[in-house]
Amino acid sequence: MTTNSSPQLWLYDTTLRDGTQREGLSVSIEDKLRIARRLDQLGIPFIEGGWPGANPKDVQFFWQLQEDPLKQAEIVAFCSTRRPNSTAATEPMLQDILAAGTRWVTIFGKSWDLHVTTGLKTTLAENLAMIRDTIEYLRSQGRRIIYDAEHWFDGYKHNRDYALQTLEVAIAAGAEWLVLCDTNGGTLPHEISQIVQDVVKVTGKLGTGDWGLGTRKDSSQSPIPQIGIHTHNDSEMAVANAIAAVMAGAKMVQGTINGYGERCGNANLCSLIPNLQLKAGYSCITEDQLTQLTEASRFVSEVVNLAPDEHAPFVGRSAFAHKGGIHVSAVERNPLTYEHIQPEQVGNRRRIVISEQSGLSNVLAKARSFGIELDQQKAEAREILQRLKDLESEGFQFEAAEASFVLLMHEALGDRQKFFEVKGFQVHCDLIEGKETSNALATVKVAVDGRNILEAAEGNGPVAALDAALRKALVNFYPQIATFDLTDYKVRILDGHTGTAAKTRVLVESGNGRQRWTTVGVSNNILAASYQAVVEGLEYGLLLHSQAEAALKAAS
């Protein structure tokens, strides 16, 4: 828990630049703007927007933020040092940086002599001149500078003296932050700690005459720049390395939401922020903003069209999920037994998972989470548990289909509402020789209040056609069905060795714009399994609607 006296850490998000270099991740200008504004709400002080001039998208992104700025965050432009054997004042890419109109600019330069001679194909002295000239020029244009020392840790380990020289010229030129980058992601925490401590010690000599600099050329800013850390996850150490750097004296932490980034990704801010704030006692964002972390993580994953990591620490759906009966029983008595923090601190929630491994305590806790009080002394509770185990042995999976489990509980208790009764269905698919087609026609027969309804509908595939036909048959009786959407559809073959006779499990996720729920169907016939899941999805949606109406009526 942070207090007013907690040491301040500065967060720097690079989801919109480094994060978008992840394979398979692509965002539009509108996507970038939505993410930037969500990060602004989260309280991130520095948001790196991209490299102006590298592509038209980034140019337009910075222009739009000039027209409609963020509320509290500094938007940061990113760029390299000037090219060898030129001048910063005549460098076209730096003019694009100035045109972006940001107060802060992050410049990256080479720290590793190998990259200077092999990558840039220039001399070590010219690389130092490139760093100095670029920063001095941007400072002369009124910009504040964050200097990213690329490949810092590899450079330090191969040629410490030269690596430190690159920081020396960056400081002398006016950089306010020196960010040490583990660009290849191969450094271990104990190395990070030792090297950052050395850098903090060396830069602390600035102004004493011990480092050959005297005082900074730019005296308008603090004479001693702050140290930052930028880590990659190639060794699964990005978060640990960033924390090690902070413990060694770094005051800025760079990372991305959900750890997105090139190759194996960057340090995950969704893990770093709660670890640093709740465990290490640093001040990163406010407590209220911290409770938005889970929602922000899922928002970003939705915008970039990547499935969220359900098992991600802190923000994953399974981060506070309890499946084993002994665990559930203990957590019911005291959450500290199996939870390292309160899930609400990061905007997450505790979940009791139901499966064939469940004990009675799981069933009781799960029922309670849905407002159903079961008496463990009565037969219904054990009947539900036995029914659960029997169905899961047949291939059902209720830990991923909680809505179906709620319906199962109501069935066992004898109070399952019969909104409609399914009488049967047929599906016809078009097969045109030489052409691919996904057109399908479904016919369904249902009964509502003793009336039989026969409807047909077309769809892009048999499941879509079935869903459309069901809605068409029921919407006149239940208008709220018009707000339901089928949001996801998953198929799993359970016993593939039996070939086309294999049993199939179908999970269908539905939503009404405010809530989402998942139902399950299992059959040797994929259409029958799909139909079962779709039917239960509609039934559960109607149950939610009826419960909401009852609560509203009771409140009035």
Side-chain angles (χ1 to χ4, degrees), residues 12-14 17 46-52 62 74-81 94 97 102-109 134-135 138 143-150 175 177-179 181 230 252 254:
Y12 182 111
D13 180 275
T14 180
R17 201 274 306 172
F46 292 98
I47 301 172
E48 188 174 85
W51 186 327
F62 284 99
E74 294 280 357
I75 194 71
V76 183
F78 179 87
C79 188
S80 71
T81 56
L94 294 181
I97 293 294
T102 63
R103 184 165 64 154
W104 285 87
V105 175
T106 294
I107 291 295
F108 75 90
T134 303
I135 295 175
L138 291 172
R143 301 302 189 265
R144 302 178 70 174
I145 304 301
I146 299 166
Y147 177 68
D148 273 11
E150 189 185 34
W177 287 96
L178 305 175
V179 179
C181 303
H230 177 115
M252 173 186 281
Q254 296 191 356

Side-chain angles (χ1 to χ4, degrees), residues 178-352:
L178 305 175
V179 179
L180 311 180
C181 303
D182 186 29
T183 311
N184 285 354
T187 313
L188 295 176
H190 72 283
E191 298 174 293
I192 295 280
S193 181
Q194 293 169 1
I195 295 171
V196 171
Q197 287 180 31
D198 186 34
V199 173
V200 170
K201 181 179 178 181
V202 169
T203 55
K205 295 179 180 179
L206 184 61
T208 65
D210 292 341
W211 204 23
L213 280 174
T215 58
R216 279 178 64 163
K217 179 176 180 178
D218 180 3
S219 60
S220 65
Q221 304 296 336
S222 169
I224 302 177
Q226 300 281 8
I227 302 301
I229 184 68
H230 177 115
T231 56
H232 283 255
N233 204 37
D234 299 73
S235 301
E236 195 68 33
M237 291 289 169
V239 169
N241 282 343
I243 293 174
V246 169
M247 296 300 185
K251 302 299 183 186
M252 173 186 281
V253 178
Q254 296 191 356
T256 62
I257 296 296
N258 299 325
Y260 297 147
E262 195 166 19
R263 303 186 312 275
C264 304
N266 290 47
N268 187 350
L269 289 178
C270 296
S271 295
L272 275 170
I273 294 171
N275 270 317
L276 290 167
Q277 186 149 323
L278 298 177
K279 306 290 185 68
Y282 289 90
S283 177
C284 300
I285 54 181
T286 69
E287 290 183 13
D288 285 344
Q289 288 166 335
L290 185 60
T291 64
Q292 302 172 29
L293 188 64
T294 297
E295 189 279 330
S297 165
R298 294 172 184 174
F299 174 87
V300 173
S301 66
E302 184 76 20
V303 172
V304 302
N305 198 30
L306 290 175
D309 181 358
E310 303 285 24
H311 298 278
F314 297 100
V315 298
R317 189 167 179 266
S318 298
F320 301 95
H322 304 283
K323 184 173 180 178
I326 294 175
H327 290 213
V328 172
S329 180
V331 167
E332 285 281 291
R333 296 188 186 97
N334 187 340
L336 288 175
T337 53
Y338 285 99
E339 290 177 355
H340 63 119
I341 66 165
Q342 298 173 11
E344 294 79 12
Q345 290 179 285
V346 291
N348 210 334
R349 66 182 183 91
R350 180 177 305 115
R351 292 175 54 248
I352 304 302

Side-chain angles (χ1 to χ4, degrees), residues 329-398:
S329 180
V331 167
E332 285 281 291
R333 296 188 186 97
N334 187 340
L336 288 175
T337 53
Y338 285 99
E339 290 177 355
H340 63 119
I341 66 165
Q342 298 173 11
E344 294 79 12
Q345 290 179 285
V346 291
N348 210 334
R349 66 182 183 91
R350 180 177 305 115
R351 292 175 54 248
I352 304 302
V353 177
I354 294 296
S355 76
E356 79 281 355
Q357 298 182 28
S358 299
L360 190 57
S361 57
N362 293 59
V363 172
L364 297 174
K366 175 59 71 176
R368 196 175 303 119
S369 71
F370 284 96
I372 301 172
E373 289 294 336
L374 294 177
D375 187 341
Q376 63 179 331
Q377 303 302 324
K378 292 188 176 180
E380 290 90 342
R382 297 194 178 279
E383 180 184 335
I384 291 171
L385 178 60
Q386 189 58 51
R387 181 65 175 151
L388 165 72
K389 293 179 180 292
D390 290 344
L391 287 172
E392 292 229 347
S393 70
E394 295 175 18
F396 285 80
Q397 183 187 59
F398 290 102

Side-chain angles (χ1 to χ4, degrees), residues 110-113 124 127-128 131-132 147 149-172 178 180 194-206 210-213 225 227:
K110 302 297 184 184
S111 308
W112 191 358
D113 54 6
L124 301 185
N127 181 55
L128 298 178
I131 296 169
R132 179 186 297 109
Y147 177 68
E150 189 185 34
H151 293 284
W152 166 260
F153 293 94
D154 292 307
Y156 179 99
K157 287 186 281 188
H158 286 84
N159 189 337
R160 176 182 180 273
D161 290 343
Y162 182 74
L164 289 173
Q165 286 181 53
T166 65
L167 296 186
E168 183 177 3
V169 296
I171 294 169
L178 305 175
L180 311 180
Q194 293 169 1
I195 295 171
V196 171
Q197 287 180 31
D198 186 34
V199 173
V200 170
K201 181 179 178 181
V202 169
T203 55
K205 295 179 180 179
L206 184 61
D210 292 341
W211 204 23
L213 280 174
I227 302 301

